[in-house]
Amino acid sequence: MSSIRLSPALQKLKPSATLAAAAKAKELKAKGINVLDFTLGEPDFITPENVRLAATAAMNAGHTHYTASGGIVELKQAVCAAYQRDYGLQFKPAQVLISCGAKHSIHNVLSSLCGPGDEVIIPAPYWVSYSALVELAGATPVIIDTTEASGFCMSAEQFKAAITPKTRLLMLNNPSNPTGCAYPVALLEALARIAVEKDILVLSDEIYEKLIYPGAEFRSFASFGPDVAERTIIVSGVSKAYAMTGWRIGWTIGPVDVIKAMDNLQSQETSNPCSISQYAAVEALNGPQDSVEAMRVEFEKRRDYVMERMRPWKSRFGITFAEPGGAFYAFFNVSSCFGRPLAGGTKVADASEFCTALLEKAHVALVTGDAFGAPGYVRLSFATGLEQLKAGLDAIEAFIAG
Ligand code: PMP
Ligand code: GLU
């Protein structure tokens, strides 16, 4: 073992904090402990039946072979048709690349466009894999801190001030994991205008596009005119909207040359995403869309319940948060709990210690905000049933009350 030397990039790479937190919770569950697990951001619903049946039909029809490395043309067409139907945006199949989940899409975009010397602007709090994937591509993440007061949105001034001659890309996640922040349309448009003026590419991660709550609005970044669209690389997929995390289908929509380069990379790296999953995704996009709304409504009920429970925490415990306009996360600041006795006299000094103590003493699993570039915060995924949410919030409240 001692003679094995990892590559310099891998020596620095940490495992995904969300997956690591979920693994830790699972480990305790395997020991027979009843852990209330709010770590992973994945819908608890089973994939809709029409999609499951389409996968079975695809297998039985013999779609069990390699496909084109960048995905089947039917799925690229279905992606284009969905953007036309849902947002009035026109793309051609040559602008679409299908990959093994949106995470793979992001990796492909960064590996195709960025390298040493390039800077990538990332508003914090950001999804755990963003900075790691930028570094893996050899580029430098430039983290822009945002605050609860702005609903965790990066302002136009902040964006402008962060741009240097080395800036290659802005990575924007709207609605956001972990904050649930949904950018107001006017602010999104202001960012888009700056991207055009300064000729910056924007990787717009829109994976939570269908999970929007009253008061918030989703606009695809590419919708602000052709000059914006030609600088926008959309990443999205079926994981969240169609409860298809395990199927591993994501996509990138962008300029034809970039998509072609990414396809070359994918053809050397992974070949095609799973053929059966691709046919299932065609049905998800082309088939009836009512299950998407039905699941969104359930998430909205859970969001409302979680917020109702958490609002009194502000005055009772000094816990602060911005209410999520989209996605399925509650992201709250627990720094008022540091250094004072929590349940059983436990004391913690930071959010990571808070999560460890909460797991050990109260058997509730959250993810520390440190992993999202937001010290002092913790993330609770409410993509789980109301009963579990009630039990979890009761346990967190008792733990914090001390
Ligand atoms: N982007 C964000 C913001 C996410 O939260 C996730 C997590 N699933 C992904 C991308 C990756 O999605 P997928 O499971 O399709 O790889
Ligand atoms: N995106 C989800 C999360 O943030 C799934 C886990 C992951 O891919 O990191 O929990």
Side-chain angles (χ1 to χ4, degrees):
M1 186 64 195
S2 58
S3 64
I4 294 175
R5 192 168 50 83
L6 297 174
S7 71
L10 270 267
Q11 282 175 26
K12 282 194 292 181
L13 188 71
K14 294 202 189 84
S16 157
T18 41
L19 300 185
K24 207 166 154 192
K26 271 202 188 94
E27 222 175 83
L28 286 186
K29 279 187 220 166
K31 287 184 187 157
I33 298 170
N34 178 24
V35 177
L36 297 162
D37 184 2
F38 304 102
T39 54
L40 267 194
E42 69 165 339
D44 52 332
F45 305 111
I46 186 172
T47 303
E49 189 180 20
N50 61 316
V51 177
R52 287 183 272 134
L53 291 175
T56 313
M59 273 192 287
N60 291 336
H63 294 306
T64 51
H65 302 275
Y66 293 132
T67 72
S69 57
I72 56 175
V73 88
E74 294 92 318
L75 181 50
K76 293 182 179 189
Q77 283 165 344
V79 169
C80 295
Y83 279 78
Q84 170 76 61
R85 174 191 67 207
D86 296 347
Y87 310 126
L89 288 170
Q90 279 180 352
F91 297 111
K92 20 180 218 228
Q95 290 181 270
V96 180
L97 184 81
I98 311 299
S99 299
C100 308
K103 194 184 278 189
H104 186 212
S105 304
I106 295 169
H107 172 64
N108 278 346
V109 173
L110 294 170
S111 306
S112 306
L113 291 175
C114 304
D118 292 332
E119 293 178 350
V120 177
I121 297 175
I122 306 176
Y126 52 82
W127 180 44
V128 287
S129 294
Y130 279 12
S131 55
L133 290 175
V134 168
E135 284 173 5
L136 205 54
T140 307
V142 174
I143 308 297
I144 307 301
D145 287 321
T146 68
T147 61
E148 256 171 46
S150 67
F152 292 114
C153 291
M154 178 178 70
S155 69
E157 293 71 31
Q158 281 182 302
F159 180 31
K160 237 183 190 163
I163 295 171
T164 76
K166 292 179 177 172
T167 306
R168 187 85 184 100
L169 204 70
L170 162 68
M171 282 177 89
L172 202 66
N173 179 208
N174 180 43
S176 153
N177 175 5
T179 64
C181 138
Y183 273 74
V185 173
L187 174 52
L188 209 56
E189 183 156 23
L191 298 180
R193 296 271 56 102
I194 295 168
V196 171
E197 187 192 314
K198 303 283 184 185
D199 199 14
I200 307 288
L201 291 169
V202 179
L203 190 173
S204 183
D205 179 347
E206 302 179 356
I207 190 90
Y208 296 99
E209 62 193 276
K210 302 290 185 218
L211 297 175
I212 288 279
Y213 308 117
E217 186 187 342
F218 172 74
R219 278 286 289 278
S220 179
F221 203 83
S223 68
F224 295 108
D227 50 352
V228 178
E230 69 191 25
R231 287 173 178 80
T232 303
I233 298 156
I234 297 175
V235 168
S236 194
V238 291
S239 295
K240 315 289 173 174
Y242 299 93
M244 290 178 71
T245 45
W247 301 72
R248 311 308 302 134
I249 295 292
W251 56 75
T252 309
I253 308 174
V256 172
D257 292 351
V258 176
I259 295 298
K260 180 90 193 63
M262 288 174 57
D263 194 354
N264 291 347
L265 173 67
Q266 190 159 295
S267 76
Q268 296 288 15
E269 214 177 33
T270 58
S271 300
N272 60 276
C274 168
S275 59
I276 300 151
S277 297
Q278 290 190 64
Y279 284 94
V282 170
E283 170 62 21
L285 292 172
N286 286 348
Q289 298 297 300
D290 35 325
S291 51
V292 176
E293 176 58 9
M295 289 189 275
R296 192 204 63 77
V297 167
E298 284 307 310
F299 287 127
E300 187 180 322
K301 282 187 202 151
R302 296 159 180 195
R303 170 198 173 273
D304 290 349
Y305 175 70
V306 171
M307 289 298 111
E308 203 179 286
R309 289 290 309 266
M310 283 179 54
R311 275 183 210 119
W313 294 2
K314 290 192 180 184
S315 55
R316 244 186 108 190
F317 307 123
I319 284 179
T320 62
F321 51 90
E323 303 209 354
F328 37 53
Y329 305 104
F331 198 62
F332 49 105
N333 190 320
V334 292
S335 52
S336 62
C337 298
F338 302 163
R340 72 158 172 86
L342 303 167
T346 310
K347 281 194 186 172
V348 299
D350 58 33
S352 296
E353 283 186 24
F354 179 92
C355 289
T356 305
L358 185 71
L359 182 58
E360 283 167 4
K361 313 274 181 216
H363 301 155
V364 175
L366 305 180
V367 186
T368 172
D370 295 297
F372 303 94
Y377 283 82
V378 294
R379 190 191 79 172
L380 175 148
S381 160
F382 53 79
T384 145
L386 275 173
E387 241 171 68
Q388 168 153 333
L389 280 169
K390 180 178 181 320
L393 289 162
D394 285 348
I396 297 171
E397 201 166 275
F399 179 72
I400 291 171

